[in-house]
Amino acid sequence: MNTRQGVFTFLLNNLGVQNVQFEELITLEPDSLASLYPVYGVIFLFKYPTDTPYTSTDKPLDGTFDRDAAERLWFAAQTIQNACGTQALLSVLMNKEGEVDVGKPLEEFREFTMALPPEFRGEALSNSELIRDVHNSFAKSSPFVDETQRTSGETEDAFHFVAYTPVDGTLYELDGLQPAPISHGACSAEDFPAKVMEVLQRRIARYELSEIRFNLMAMVRDRRIAAREFGDAEALAREERKRRDWQFENALRRHNFVGFAGAVLKGVVDAKLKEGGEAAYEKWVEDAKAKTRQRLEGRKKGGGGGGGGEDVEMEG
């Protein structure tokens, strides 16, 4: 289950942004993006390449550097490693002046940072108490540290977010790791779904066919607004339910369940010991092992021995 759209939507809310949300896209068909109109931009998650150079001062792998654009649009150099998602979100948001109500704090932040060069905008972003606090409030709880990760010598795959948005008739790729905004040519708001999908398809084509770890989210107007305007009670109820689900998932994301799990396990063990002593406890453990082996064997045979929905590892 991927809850990034819920994380990013409530991150927007907590920053003070009004009437905006994120929607995850599961296809690169332009119509799927166009159906979410109005679309302010998209943010794209991909595996950061470690075997080839990612940045270049001369020419990007696709498009062209527009070094003068940073003076008229909001583009910030990325100065910290673990906030590329928040920075990609802001790269769309800060360039929608007049289209989106970003709230007074972000409006003042934009006004202050527009006078700065991109590298100082990045520093200002990392030093913003509001942005830092909101970003950190959505960090996952990590109660366990795998010490083997530190000594094995193997490096984990790294992932990166970039933003794509139309600004003043041009499709821009805004990536804080690049030296400047990247222009992908003329693009109106109406052309954006088709144009950006072409760019993304070319980008994905640079990876091996086996690489499928991508994520695409669109920043759009709060979909409850259209449901109210059209009097669509069913769509409104669906969107409200989705918000409640996101809120619950975000709460789970931040919570440390180690203590709860330990208390439950202790209670179950105590109950088994009272039920039949050590023998009952040992039988319970062995039965659980046997069921696990049965499920694993069922999966190997393609039979889904675990009932299809059990013990599925979920990412995000």
Side-chain angles (χ1 to χ4, degrees):
M1 182 182 298
N2 196 312
T3 60
R4 288 192 185 96
Q5 55 189 339
V7 170
F8 278 70
T9 296
F10 279 93
L11 195 153
L12 281 173
N13 291 350
N14 291 357
L15 286 171
V17 181
Q18 301 295 314
N19 301 326
V20 179
Q21 72 176 73
F22 275 92
E23 281 290 315
E24 185 178 23
L25 296 163
I26 58 175
T27 174
L28 292 179
E29 291 296 326
D31 288 347
S32 66
L33 181 57
S35 68
L36 300 173
Y37 183 86
V39 179
Y40 306 118
V42 300
I43 60 176
F44 181 61
L45 176 71
F46 57 94
K47 180 185 174 184
Y48 184 84
T50 56
D51 54 346
T52 57
Y54 180 71
T55 60
S56 168
T57 57
D58 300 325
K59 187 180 185 301
L61 294 175
D62 192 16
T64 57
F65 286 129
D66 188 344
R67 300 182 187 279
D68 295 332
E71 297 181 7
R72 63 180 184 274
L73 57 81
W74 196 89
F75 172 76
Q78 185 174 323
T79 60
I80 50 179
Q81 291 185 343
N82 63 343
C84 60
T86 299
Q87 182 154 340
L89 175 156
L90 291 170
S91 293
V92 175
L93 194 63
M94 294 296 199
N95 288 297
K96 297 298 142 184
E97 192 176 21
E99 298 180 56
V100 174
D101 180 1
V102 300
K104 188 174 181 180
L106 284 185
E107 186 178 335
E108 292 176 347
F109 178 78
R110 183 187 188 281
E111 184 177 347
F112 168 71
T113 55
M114 278 302 293
L116 304 174
E119 58 270 23
F120 289 160
R121 289 179 195 163
E123 290 292 341
L125 191 157
S126 62
N127 290 322
S128 166
E129 186 174 344
L130 169 65
I131 295 171
R132 183 175 61 249
D133 289 349
V134 171
H135 170 84
N136 290 339
S137 72
F138 286 91
K140 285 185 177 180
S141 175
S142 301
F144 299 114
V145 176
D146 186 355
E147 296 295 338
T148 62
Q149 295 290 334
R150 301 183 179 181
T151 58
S152 65
E154 297 181 2
T155 57
E156 291 186 359
D157 288 336
F159 293 85
H160 184 54
F161 279 105
V162 297
Y164 294 88
T165 185
V167 183
D168 296 332
T170 299
L171 171 56
Y172 282 107
E173 175 184 334
L174 301 174
D175 179 355
L177 295 182
Q178 298 288 359
I182 297 174
S183 168
H184 290 283
C187 179
S188 65
E190 292 72 22
D191 295 334
F192 177 67
K195 293 278 189 180
V196 74
M197 290 306 185
E198 290 175 4
V199 174
L200 290 172
Q201 286 171 348
R202 291 197 298 270
R203 181 163 207 150
I204 292 173
R206 298 202 293 264
Y207 287 83
E208 297 288 339
L209 291 176
S210 58
E211 181 57 70
I212 59 172
R213 291 171 295 177
F214 303 101
N215 182 265
L216 180 64
M217 289 184 294
M219 183 187 290
V220 302
R221 188 175 68 158
D222 187 334
R223 304 196 73 191
R224 295 174 298 182
I225 295 175
R228 293 189 185 104
E229 290 174 347
F230 288 103
D232 191 336
E234 184 178 345
L236 181 58
R238 184 169 59 249
E239 291 299 320
E240 293 287 7
R241 184 169 59 252
K242 185 163 62 178
R243 294 289 179 121
R244 290 193 298 271
D245 290 344
W246 287 347
Q247 199 163 19
F248 178 68
E249 290 162 2
N250 288 339
L252 294 181
R253 174 190 180 91
R254 297 191 296 269
H255 194 73
N256 182 341
F257 287 96
V258 174
F260 172 76
V264 170
L265 185 58
K266 182 180 178 181
V268 172
V269 171
D270 287 344
K272 289 296 178 183
L273 290 174
K274 290 178 182 177
E275 181 182 298
E278 195 74 24
Y281 169 73
E282 292 292 344
K283 183 178 183 303
W284 172 61
V285 171
E286 291 304 319
D287 287 347
K289 290 180 179 178
K291 288 180 181 178
T292 300
R293 285 193 294 269
Q294 184 180 3
R295 284 197 294 266
L296 291 174
E297 287 298 324
R299 289 177 189 172
K300 289 178 182 178
K301 295 176 182 177
E310 294 182 315
D311 298 330
V312 177
E313 184 176 347
M314 295 181 284
E315 182 180 351

